[in-house]
Amino acid sequence: MAMARRLHRLFPFARWFPLSALTLRADVFAGLSVGLVLVPQSLAYAQLAGLPAYYGLYAAFLPPMIGALWGSSNQLATGPVAMVSILTAATLAQFAAPGSERFVALAITLALLVGVLQLTLGVLRLGAIVSFLSHPVIVGFTNAAAMIIALSQLNKLLGVSIGRGEHFLLDVWGVLEQVHETHLPTLAMGLGAIALILALRRYAPRVPGVLIAVVIGTATSWLIGFERSTEVSIEQLADADARALALEHLAGDRAIEQLNAELGARRGELRSLRAQPEHNRQHALTLDYQVQALKLEVRAQENENRLRARALRRFRLQAQGDATATAAYRSTAQPGDASAAAATVWRVQRIAGERIVLVGGGEVIGRVPQGLPSLALPPFGWDTLGLLFSSALVITLVGFMEAISIAKAIATRTRERIDPNQELIGQGLANLVGSFAQSYPVSGSFSRSAVNLGAGAVTGMASVFSALVVLATLVFLTPALYHLPQAVLAAIIFVAVTGLIDLRAIRHAWQAHRHDGICALVTLVATLAFAPHLDAGILLGGGLAIVMFLYRTMSPRVTIRFHDAQAPVLAIHFDGRLYFANVPYFEDAVLEAVASHPSARAVLVVGSGINEIDASGEEMLRHLQRRLHAGGVRVVFADLKPQAIAVLRATGLHALIGEDAFFATERDALEALVKPGKTIAVIDRVR
């Protein structure tokens, strides 16, 4: 038995075996059902994370298998999810342009760091740490993040550009200013996909609506020639303003490249210097200052290039001459020009060095590399880990809370036992191993887990089979994805996240306790205001929740009863822990009561509500006993809990006060302190 228990702890999937033919059949069917949803969703969520779409397939290959094999839930479906994807994009947009090589490298490093954190928490049995983010904070953050995700897809549904700046809401406003330039075929494609998914969800819930929308959208895109794109050189931009912006962007790229090279050299010099046992501290400080200055300069250059790229995307160009190779691209002519009205209007999609990609139709995901991702050690350095640590911690907590909430919800139906620490290990290994196969951070998916459960999955082998569907897609089906419209992916994300918006949950938190409602609202507003820096919103909300908790415990309920007899007694009931935050409040309550009743000859502390006494509480009781004893007032205790008495014995305060000052119940204490046969008048006062 001990050996079997140890084996199951190291290899949790051993509990699935042996698999019966019936179980295997159910898992194969469930795995295929989830896989058909997983492929299009993973493509969409990778775009949401700011990565090329095919990185979603990489994140949907190994992580679901690893998460199922080492997790505790048999039906939890791990992989790309909307919440973690938007957190990834928000984190990395501060350090690199979305879709760039550096952005991809940082995303893979972020998965490694999240995996290490989750695995460490699981091994150390610290699954309860997720309680530091209270439910109202998660509710506020989830609602805000869902709104941000939905708004981030608005430009893809309209077929217009969006800038990436320091304030997401300003970027959205920039999209709304371009509503009059909406690309109608793109809008039709997106709205059609939304309508199809919602209709199938309502009238045919067993049909994979997401997959049907992808198939129909891709086929329609191919048949009507939805995509129209071309690459041109900067010299082909005949518009002087557009060409000047493109040249400035190119110069900015080269400056960033040079600054990064110099930054790398300075960092290497600084590491070498610090590795020496005896080194020049002044020189080290100088190098460190240079490194920080170069970082700021790189960030400034990147921000300037973002503004240039945003300005370039606003240009509308028309080709004059040979449209394939040497055409000159000028700004669109004035309305009313018949020849110009019939010509294709080109928009700047992206800038790649000296080449500019123009689109004249709808946007598609384009070429998806065929084959499996290469296995490699994720690129990282101590500086990179320092940049990403706080965001990785937020993703670790939020991602795990999402996963464990889904797992527990499923467990209520399957009646299985969920081990949060084992689930942390499973999620940590999924991210850790996935980072070696070019995956970005993943978590448990509510929608795919629901499909898994509904399709009859019995063991985690269902997730293994869903990963095999992704494997088949990577090896055989990637050419068919070329014409998949971006608007359809935006529709998939839009439908998925609108279900996360639940403002009633905030109202419910307010009804439960006003402080909880305040935390939820502050988190919601702060997350929206700080976007794209979403970690700032949830950290502020989490900090406020802790402050609110401390505020409540600083002023617990204190009931004071004055027993007016020949030997008057003040009985004080204190409900709560006696710790550093509320000892002044307790002390003030006692001294105020004594001052209001100078005839009292004893203070009876009824400790039935005191669950714990810390060092500050013990010191306060010691000081209070001395002060009251000097004034002729005796301090006695009744109904103290064993853990509280243990603290007083360990510090010597129990011996100092005396054994006769401790009573088992309040009644015993009053019978000993109040003269029998006397009438007792009780005055209640609650602070």
Side-chain angles (χ1 to χ4, degrees):
M1 288 295 291
M3 180 63 72
R5 198 178 299 113
R6 192 175 297 111
L7 180 66
H8 285 178
R9 184 178 293 276
L10 291 175
F11 305 105
F13 53 87
R15 69 185 187 275
W16 305 339
F17 299 98
L19 289 172
S20 67
L22 189 63
T23 297
L24 188 61
R25 190 182 306 117
D27 286 344
V28 169
F29 177 74
L32 291 175
S33 301
V34 172
L36 294 177
V37 176
L38 176 58
V39 169
Q41 275 194 348
S42 63
L43 294 168
Y45 292 150
Q47 295 276 71
L48 180 60
L51 297 162
Y54 57 86
Y55 278 93
L57 295 176
Y58 296 165
F61 174 42
L62 284 181
M65 286 194 286
I66 301 299
L69 289 169
W70 271 273
S72 65
S73 173
N74 289 337
Q75 289 80 26
L76 180 66
T78 301
V81 294
M83 191 71 69
V84 172
S85 295
I86 192 67
L87 282 170
T88 299
T91 296
L92 303 183
Q94 309 169 53
F95 312 118
S100 64
E101 289 185 11
R102 175 167 167 75
F103 191 95
V104 172
L106 288 174
I108 296 170
T109 304
L110 187 61
L112 172 68
L113 190 52
V114 169
V116 169
L117 287 172
Q118 289 181 331
L119 183 59
T120 302
L121 292 174
V123 170
L124 296 178
R125 318 294 291 174
L126 295 176
I129 198 170
V130 296
S131 349
F132 280 104
L133 290 178
S134 66
H135 176 68
V137 172
I138 292 297
V139 164
F141 176 76
T142 302
N143 276 277
M147 294 175 191
I148 291 168
I149 293 169
L151 290 173
S152 72
Q153 301 308 298
L154 188 59
N155 67 303
K156 292 181 180 178
L157 290 173
L158 298 177
V160 299
S161 64
I162 185 172
R164 296 231 178 221
E166 287 295 311
H167 301 286
F168 174 75
L169 295 180
L170 292 180
D171 295 339
V172 173
W173 181 253
V175 170
L176 295 177
E177 290 179 332
Q178 303 175 68
V179 168
H180 62 285
E181 298 178 1
T182 297
H183 187 243
L184 295 179
T186 296
L187 181 61
M189 193 75 75
L191 293 180
I194 291 174
L196 178 61
I197 293 171
L198 292 177
L200 289 175
R201 179 184 292 179
R202 180 171 183 179
Y203 298 109
R206 291 189 174 273
V207 176
V210 170
L211 180 65
I212 299 298
V214 166
V215 172
I216 293 176
T218 304
T220 304
S221 170
W222 176 69
L223 288 171
I224 68 175
F226 181 67
E227 184 219 14
R228 193 175 299 167
S229 65
T230 185
E231 273 194 25
V232 302
S233 65
I234 294 177
E235 289 72 19
Q236 287 177 262
L237 296 179
D239 186 283
D241 292 335
R243 188 169 62 254
L245 274 172
L247 288 171
E248 288 176 8
H249 192 281
L250 176 61
D253 274 344
R254 290 173 176 169
I256 291 170
E257 187 177 347
Q258 291 175 356
L259 287 169
N260 279 326
E262 188 176 351
L263 181 58
R266 290 286 182 273
R267 282 173 171 165
E269 188 179 350
L270 182 59
R271 280 195 297 268
S272 299
L273 182 64
R274 285 176 172 169
Q276 299 173 9
E278 298 291 335
H279 62 268
N280 188 327
R281 294 183 180 277
Q282 186 62 41
H283 185 41
L285 288 173
T286 302
L287 284 174
D288 187 60
Y289 172 79
Q290 291 174 353
V291 166
Q292 299 305 322
L294 285 169
K295 283 182 184 178
L296 291 174
E297 197 169 348
V298 168
R299 186 170 296 183
Q301 286 284 357
E302 288 175 343
N303 287 335
E304 288 180 12
N305 259 11
R306 286 195 194 100
L307 294 175
R308 292 173 185 133
R310 181 189 298 180
L312 269 170
R313 292 191 192 101
R314 294 183 181 276
F315 280 90
R316 297 294 177 263
L317 306 170
Q318 287 179 342
Q320 296 180 339
D322 183 358
T324 59
T326 60
Y329 290 82
R330 302 182 183 277
S331 292
T332 53
Q334 295 297 322
D337 187 332
S339 61
T344 300
V345 176
W346 299 89
R347 308 182 307 279
V348 176
Q349 184 187 47
R350 68 178 184 275
I351 308 165
E354 298 183 11
R355 306 294 293 176
I356 298 175
V357 180
L358 301 178
V359 291
E363 292 189 33
V364 297
I365 68 171
R367 190 183 73 85
V368 176
Q370 195 166 7
L372 298 179
S374 58
L375 297 177
L377 181 68
F380 70 92
W382 293 114
D383 291 334
T384 304
L385 296 180
L387 284 176
L388 301 178
F389 183 80
S390 63
S391 298
L393 184 59
V394 170
I395 293 175
T396 294
L397 296 178
V398 172
F400 178 65
M401 284 197 72
E402 188 173 7
I404 198 64
S405 299
I406 297 163
K408 286 181 177 179
I410 293 173
T412 58
R413 296 183 58 181
T414 62
R415 298 187 178 181
E416 293 178 347
R417 178 179 173 274
I418 298 299
D419 182 354
N421 294 304
Q422 188 62 50
E423 207 58 60
L424 263 174
I425 292 173
Q427 294 293 307
L429 285 173
N431 279 293
L432 183 61
V433 174
S435 69
F436 287 85
Q438 303 185 50
S439 168
Y440 73 95
V442 297
S443 182
S445 165
F446 180 81
S447 59
R448 296 194 298 274
S449 298
V451 171
N452 207 21
L453 180 65
V458 179
T459 73
M461 283 299 295
S463 292
V464 175
F465 291 122
S466 68
L468 293 179
V469 174
V470 176
L471 171 65
T473 303
L474 283 167
V475 175
F476 302 111
L477 302 178
T478 51
L481 297 172
Y482 181 94
H483 290 283
L484 175 57
Q486 295 277 12
V488 172
L489 294 181
I492 293 171
I493 294 172
F494 190 85
V495 172
V497 301
T498 49
L500 297 175
I501 299 175
D502 183 12
L503 297 179
R504 290 177 301 176
I506 296 180
R507 185 181 66 181
H508 182 74
W510 183 277
Q511 291 169 340
H513 198 288
R514 187 164 296 181
H515 287 179
D516 290 335
I518 291 172
C519 288
L521 282 172
V522 168
T523 305
L524 171 70
V525 174
T527 303
L528 288 171
F530 289 136
H533 307 291
L534 302 188
D535 54 336
I538 196 168
L539 289 174
L540 177 63
L544 180 62
I546 293 173
V547 170
M548 290 288 193
F549 168 76
L550 291 175
Y551 178 76
R552 288 198 300 270
T553 59
M554 284 174 63
S555 305
R557 181 184 177 92
V558 178
T559 304
I560 301 172
R561 291 186 174 92
F562 180 62
H563 298 263
D564 191 6
Q566 186 174 347
V569 176
L570 280 170
I572 298 177
H573 294 252
F574 185 79
D575 296 331
R577 296 168 53 208
L578 193 56
Y579 75 118
F580 69 93
N582 60 27
V583 290
Y585 181 82
F586 177 82
E587 186 176 22
D588 288 345
V590 173
L591 294 177
E592 183 181 329
V594 171
S596 300
H597 301 85
S599 61
R601 288 294 169 262
V603 170
L604 170 61
V605 177
V606 182
S608 55
I610 301 176
N611 297 313
E612 183 183 349
I613 299 176
D614 71 355
S616 299
E618 189 276 341
E619 181 62 28
M620 181 273 297
L621 290 176
R622 184 183 296 269
H623 173 75
L624 188 66
Q625 190 272 339
R626 288 174 179 169
R627 182 170 178 177
L628 294 179
H629 180 72
V633 178
R634 186 184 178 194
V635 177
V636 296
F637 297 87
D639 207 9
L640 277 180
K641 295 185 176 179
Q643 61 266 33
I645 293 177
V647 172
L648 301 185
R649 288 188 186 278
T651 60
L653 183 57
H654 189 280
L656 176 67
I657 296 176
E659 185 69 36
D660 61 341
F662 291 87
F663 298 90
T665 66
E666 180 181 6
R667 182 173 182 176
D668 291 343
L670 290 175
E671 286 179 353
L673 295 172
V674 178
K675 296 296 183 182
K678 296 292 184 180
T679 303
I680 300 176
V682 180
I683 302 172
D684 285 352
R685 184 162 64 87
V686 179
R687 286 176 60 92

